């Protein structure tokens, strides 16, 4: 009984504190250090190539502001990922050659036209970085809501280190306002960035580079919208331009009979080799997002329901239940703060199957057997199929406590999100 009163008291106190000071969750107001989940000196300085539609502001951190610029700027920064992650000031570069620019003599008008195509110089930089590292691929990170350029840049370097990424690392930083209570504004800005991401993915593909993408939260919506829009392009080329697409806590609607995630995944299938979705029923931000969206569930909060994509729709989509992942107060950014997640993402990027990642002494997943998945057949009749369920392997003492999970479900009830 005493423990119950303690949990309830903590809930009331924390909810009151957050209601009064919810802005402390705003990324634009934080200067938190970012640390690798790999202990010790496990990395080295490396380039992170970026494209951003934030405005440039010399008074802001890393000289990138918090507002939408209506144009995209590219560049590169050197990011050091030992225990603490740091970066040099970015060097800003054009994303595309100026009108009338010419290429080296070996290419004339045709090459000049190619370099004037959207995101062409960004793709040149990626290709040069890949060549310097002796590889032919790019891992692109697309962040979620309430994330400023500084945070996404440092996270990009951390990700490259923590998943032992050997090739070019890139960041697409769309113009999130970095405010916890400006969710609706971020939705609007995220939509503006989709055409730029379409151009980026095409330009890199046309360099003959393999593309892998890690997208978080609202970033998953941007990526899937871009990949879906590229369906005719990929079909015409007969090529899936993205090898592995990893969606962590995707903030995408999965309303019954009106499943946005299903529509986007189905169209994006022409461009994507395999999709991996990490979902947690313990995600406070997505609980709040459901309220903003009129009660429509989010894909990142329904690990078992997401099994329908492979079982019913025959999509190449792997689902991982990450509800036990530690490392994040709000249960939303767990992918960046959990070595368990980084271990599994590493193996995902290496092309390993769910079954392979759940086998052996160093397994990163726990198999939980087959579960029944309600489906609808071609005639519209209900049917049931089975799918294997996998859960992120997390030691008992690292899992969120019962009290933490309860608090995460209570907090959205008192924090206003526009």
């Amino acid at each position: 009984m005493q423990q119950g009163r303690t949990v309830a008291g903590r809930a009331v106190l924390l909810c009151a504190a957050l209601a009064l000071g919810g802005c402390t969750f705003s990324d634009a107001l934080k200067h938190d250090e970012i640390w690798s989940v790999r202990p010790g000196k496990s990395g080295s300085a490396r380039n992170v190539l970026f494209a951003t539609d934030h405005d440039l502001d010399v008074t802001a951190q890393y000289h990138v502001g918090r507002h939408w610029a209506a144009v995209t700027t590219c560049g590169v920064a050197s990011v050091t990922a030992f225990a603490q992650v740091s970066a040099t000031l970015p060097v800003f570069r054009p994303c595309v050659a100026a009108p009338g620019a010419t290429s080296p003599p070996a290419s004339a008008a045709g090459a000049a036209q190619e370099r004037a195509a959207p995101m062409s110089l960004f793709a040149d930089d990626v290709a040069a970085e890949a060549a310097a590292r002796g590889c032919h691929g790019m891992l692109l990170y697309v962040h979620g809501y309430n994330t400023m350029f500084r945070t996404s840049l440092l996270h990009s370097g951390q990700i490259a280190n923590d998943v032992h990424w050997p090739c070019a690392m890139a960041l697409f930083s769309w113009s999130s306002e970095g405010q916890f209570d400006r969710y609706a504004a971020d939705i609007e800005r995220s939509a503006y960035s989709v055409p730029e991401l379409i151009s980026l993915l095409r330009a890199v593909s046309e360099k003959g580079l393999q593309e892998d993408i890690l997208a978080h939260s609202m970033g998953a919506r941007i990526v899937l919208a871009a990949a879906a829009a590229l369906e005719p392009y990929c079909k015409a080329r007969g090529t899936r331009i993205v090898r592995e697409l990893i969606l962590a806590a995707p903030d995408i609607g999965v309303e019954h009979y009106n499943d946005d995630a299903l529509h986007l995944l189905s169209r994006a299938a022409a461009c994507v080799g395999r999709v991996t979705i990490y979902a947690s029923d313990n995600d406070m931000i997505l609980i709040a997002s459901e309220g903003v969206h009129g009660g429509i569930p989010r894909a990142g909060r329904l690990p078992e329901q997401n099994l329908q994509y492979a079982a019913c729709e025959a999509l190449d989509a792997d689902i991982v239940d990450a509800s036990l992942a530690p490392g994040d107060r709000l249960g939303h950014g767990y992918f960046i703060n959990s070595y368990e997640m980084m271990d599994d993402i590493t193996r995902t990027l290496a092309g390993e199957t769910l079954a392979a990642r759940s086998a052996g002494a160093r397994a990163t997943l726990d198999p939980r057997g087959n579960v029944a998945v309600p489906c609808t057949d071609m005639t519209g009749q209900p049917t049931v199929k089975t799918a294997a369920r996998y859960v992120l392997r997390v030691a008992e003492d690292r899992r969120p406590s019962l009290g933490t999970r309860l608090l995460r479900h209570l907090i959205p009830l008192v924090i206003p999100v526009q």
Side-chain angles (χ1 to χ4, degrees):
M1 179 64 72
Q2 179 64 37
Q3 183 178 7
R5 286 197 298 268
T6 301
V7 170
R10 286 172 61 198
V12 171
L13 290 174
L14 182 56
C15 288
L18 290 172
L20 293 173
C23 62
T24 58
F25 283 115
S26 296
D27 192 45
L29 302 179
K30 294 190 298 184
H31 304 277
D32 296 350
E33 295 177 341
I34 291 175
W35 296 77
S36 166
V37 301
R38 307 292 186 191
K41 188 175 178 179
S42 58
S44 59
R46 63 177 298 148
N47 289 333
V48 173
L49 303 156
F50 63 82
T52 181
D53 60 2
H54 277 281
D55 62 330
L56 301 186
D57 180 355
V58 295
T59 68
Q61 289 183 313
Y62 290 94
H63 295 175
V64 178
R66 53 181 288 191
H67 302 299
W68 181 56
V71 294
T72 302
T73 303
C74 295
V76 61
S78 177
V79 181
T80 301
F82 296 130
Q84 184 180 346
V85 185
S86 61
T88 63
L89 278 177
V91 176
F92 297 101
R93 302 172 178 171
C95 300
V96 60
T102 58
S103 299
S107 48
Q113 182 178 3
E114 179 185 343
R115 288 172 62 81
M119 305 301 296
S120 57
L121 294 188
F122 173 84
D124 286 347
D125 288 341
V126 173
E129 176 71 10
R133 300 183 71 87
C135 56
H136 62 282
M138 172 192 75
L139 175 59
L140 179 70
Y141 171 53
V142 184
H143 62 81
Y145 131 89
N146 186 27
T147 304
M148 296 297 293
F149 177 84
R150 168 193 176 270
T151 300
S152 60
L153 176 66
L154 297 181
H155 279 167
S156 298
Q158 177 199 340
I159 290 165
N161 177 73
D162 288 355
V163 303
H164 310 298
W165 182 247
C167 207
M169 184 71 206
L171 163 68
F172 183 69
S173 177
W174 57 278
S175 53
S176 164
E177 291 195 5
Q179 290 184 234
F180 184 78
D181 62 346
R182 293 283 286 168
Y183 178 82
D186 272 11
I187 292 176
E188 190 169 32
R189 302 298 188 275
S190 71
Y192 299 160
S193 70
V194 173
E196 299 302 318
L197 183 57
I198 291 171
S199 296
L200 185 154
L201 296 177
R202 281 191 58 160
V204 173
S205 172
E206 287 168 5
K207 289 293 178 183
L209 298 175
Q210 170 186 287
E211 299 179 75
D212 295 281
I213 302 176
L214 169 57
H216 177 235
S217 186
M218 199 175 288
R221 188 187 311 186
I222 298 169
V223 170
L224 273 185
L230 282 167
E231 179 187 34
Y233 171 79
C234 295
K235 285 184 174 179
R237 297 187 69 195
T239 304
R240 289 184 169 90
I241 63 175
V242 178
R243 185 184 65 109
E244 298 284 350
L245 173 55
I246 299 172
L247 307 178
D251 187 2
I252 306 172
V254 288
E255 187 176 23
H256 193 47
Y257 296 123
N258 188 24
D259 190 330
D260 293 348
L262 174 58
H263 294 319
L264 292 171
L265 286 168
S266 298
R267 290 195 59 195
C271 295
V272 177
R274 177 175 67 165
V275 177
T276 300
I277 299 175
Y278 291 95
S280 167
D281 63 7
N282 189 24
D283 189 322
M284 181 195 121
I285 296 298
L286 294 187
I287 295 170
S289 174
E290 290 178 7
V292 172
H293 287 90
I296 297 174
R298 318 316 288 165
R301 210 172 74 83
L302 299 171
E304 286 206 25
Q305 182 174 318
N306 291 340
L307 293 172
Q308 65 168 312
Y309 301 131
C312 308
E313 309 298 337
L315 294 172
D316 195 354
D318 289 347
I319 312 301
V320 175
D321 185 339
S323 300
L324 300 178
D328 176 63
R329 288 181 296 171
L330 307 181
H332 187 60
Y334 52 83
F335 82 103
I336 200 72
N337 297 313
S338 162
Y339 67 76
E340 294 91 345
M341 281 289 297
M342 288 299 176
D343 286 344
D344 194 60
I345 289 173
T346 300
R347 298 180 68 175
T348 299
L349 289 170
E352 294 190 36
T353 64
L354 292 169
R357 282 145 49 204
S358 68
R362 303 189 67 177
T364 53
L365 301 177
D366 286 326
R368 296 296 174 87
N370 290 333
V371 297
V373 181
C375 302
T376 303
D377 64 21
M378 296 295 291
T379 65
Q381 296 300 310
T383 184
V384 175
K385 297 185 179 180
T386 60
R389 178 170 176 256
Y390 290 89
V391 175
L392 186 71
R393 175 171 287 190
V394 179
E396 187 76 32
D397 61 350
R398 283 180 53 78
R399 299 175 182 178
S401 67
L402 177 61
T404 297
R405 298 187 68 167
L406 175 61
L407 289 172
R408 287 178 181 172
H409 282 74
L410 290 175
I411 290 170
L413 301 178
V414 296
I415 297 181
V417 178
Q418 296 179 11

